[in-house]
């Protein structure tokens, strides 16, 4: 009886087990079918998500590559800075920080800013003067004049050397050139070309940079621009450094005195004023004949521009270009638009990229080496 009872109980348990297994199998089948249907139903979204994850990964890799390139380009330019300055590591850190900050705050990137530092340094501008405003002056001139940073730095630095000015005067030079370029015809490059020809002669005669740029701007307002203006003014001045006997006699007859008792040239304003008075009432033919004797026929046009305007015109243009803060103010105005906002945004992104790329510099150099 007991054996029968055991058999009956075992059959019942086996039946229950088979039933449970059947239910489990059905549950697994149902779950699998449900999952399969879900995958089929949402396959498009799943594929999109997978693609986006792949694109995100690719974008992160691409961003890393761009960051490394941005840092590598900037670091290479900073090596040029060090080659030009041979400054200490501490000073190089300051110059590096200044270039990165300029890349963030201006329309120029950090590499361009580092290039400006190189040009200033090559022209003899000290690191202290570069950090004290020289870099900002060069960048302001480039922005106000819509020219390359390297060109602006080279022109500003060359002007300093022509007139024996200090590195701390870069900002003032930038103001003069930006004002002269924007208040008359032509541009900063034209003024730079003009100064290339007349700057050394003017400086040698103790004519101020302000008056020289003022007269070049005065010439530009009459359509005489760039090399033509510089060459013409140089010819006028050269004629006065060692005048011929005929020229000296003509000046004496006109009662024109261009030098003081110590033999110092009294300036372009004085010359323009005296010539204007001396030729008052004369015919054009008489003026041109007299000017030809003094300056030579090739310089008559430039001489006429000076005497026709007189001292008043020279003084007016000298005051017009001697406009403190003009370069930075003009640069700020040019940035006050959507394009300027975009330039500043990309500058900030580049600054972040340089920092990101810098973190990979050590390991990458080790691998490459």
């Amino acid at each position: 009886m007991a054996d029968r009872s055991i058999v009956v109980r075992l059959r019942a348990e086996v039946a229950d087990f088979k039933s449970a297994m059947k239910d489990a199998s059905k549950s697994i089948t149902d779950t699998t079918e449900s999952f399969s249907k879900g995958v089929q139903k949402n396959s498009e979204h799943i594929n999109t998500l997978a693609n986006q994850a792949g694109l995100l990964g690719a974008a992160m890799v691409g961003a890393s590559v761009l960051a490394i390139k941005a840092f590598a380009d900037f670091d290479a330019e900073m090596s040029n800075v060090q080659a030009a300055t041979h400054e200490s590591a501490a000073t190089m850190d300051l110059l590096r920080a200044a270039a990165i900050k300029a890349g963030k705050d201006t329309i120029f990137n950090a590499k361009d800013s580092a290039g400006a530092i190189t040009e200033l340094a090559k022209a003899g501008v000290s690191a202290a003067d570069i950090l004290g405003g020289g870099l900002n002056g060069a960048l302001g001139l480039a922005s106000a004049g819509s020219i390359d940073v390297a060109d602006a730095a080279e022109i500003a630095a060359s002007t300093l050397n022509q007139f024996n000015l200090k590195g701390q005067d870069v900002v003032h030079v930038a103001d003069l050139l930006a004002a002269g370029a924007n208040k008359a015809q032509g541009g900063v490059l034209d003024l730079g070309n003009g100064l290339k020809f007349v700057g050394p002669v003017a400086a040698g005669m103790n004519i101020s940079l302000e008056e020289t740029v003022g007269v070049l701007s005065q010439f530009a307002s009459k359509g005489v621009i760039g090399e033509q203006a510089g060459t013409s003014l140089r010819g006028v001045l050269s004629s006065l450094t060692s005048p011929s006997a005929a020229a000296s006699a003509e000046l004496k007859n006109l009662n024109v005195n261009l030098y003081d008792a110590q033999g110092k040239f009294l300036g372009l304003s004085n010359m323009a004023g005296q010539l204007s008075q001396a030729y008052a009432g004369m015919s054009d033919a008489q003026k041109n004949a007299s000017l030809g004797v003094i300056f030579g026929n090739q310089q008559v046009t430039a001489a006429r521009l000076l005497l026709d305007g007189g001292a008043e015109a020279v003084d007016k243009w000298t005051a017009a270009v001697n406009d403190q803060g003009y370069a930075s103010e003009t640069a700020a105005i040019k940035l006050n638009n959507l394009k300027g906002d975009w330039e500043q945004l990309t500058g900030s992104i580049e600054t972040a990229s340089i920092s990101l790329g810098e973190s990979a510099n050590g390991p990458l150099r080790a691998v490459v080496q």
Side-chain angles (χ1 to χ4, degrees), residues 20 65 77 82 86 139 172 187 200 208 226 232 246 274 279 308 321 323-325 337 362:
V65 171
E77 192 58 54
Q82 188 165 26
H86 287 262
L139 296 179
H172 180 54
S208 70
S232 298
Q274 289 207 39
Y279 290 126
D308 287 347
V321 301
D323 193 343
Q324 184 176 359
N337 50 59

Side-chain angles (χ1 to χ4, degrees), residues 125-203:
V125 181
S126 69
D129 288 334
I130 290 171
L131 294 169
L135 175 60
N136 290 337
L139 296 179
L141 177 60
S143 180
S146 300
I147 62 175
D148 290 340
V149 174
D151 289 337
E154 182 179 351
I155 290 171
S158 296
T159 303
L160 289 177
N161 289 334
Q162 288 169 351
F163 287 85
N164 299 313
L165 300 175
K166 303 295 184 182
Q168 63 193 23
D169 296 318
V170 172
V171 175
H172 180 54
V173 170
D175 288 336
L176 290 171
L177 296 177
N182 287 348
K183 294 182 180 183
Q185 297 178 50
V188 172
L189 292 177
D190 294 310
L191 273 178
N193 285 332
L195 286 170
K196 187 185 301 182
F197 288 90
V198 73
V201 175

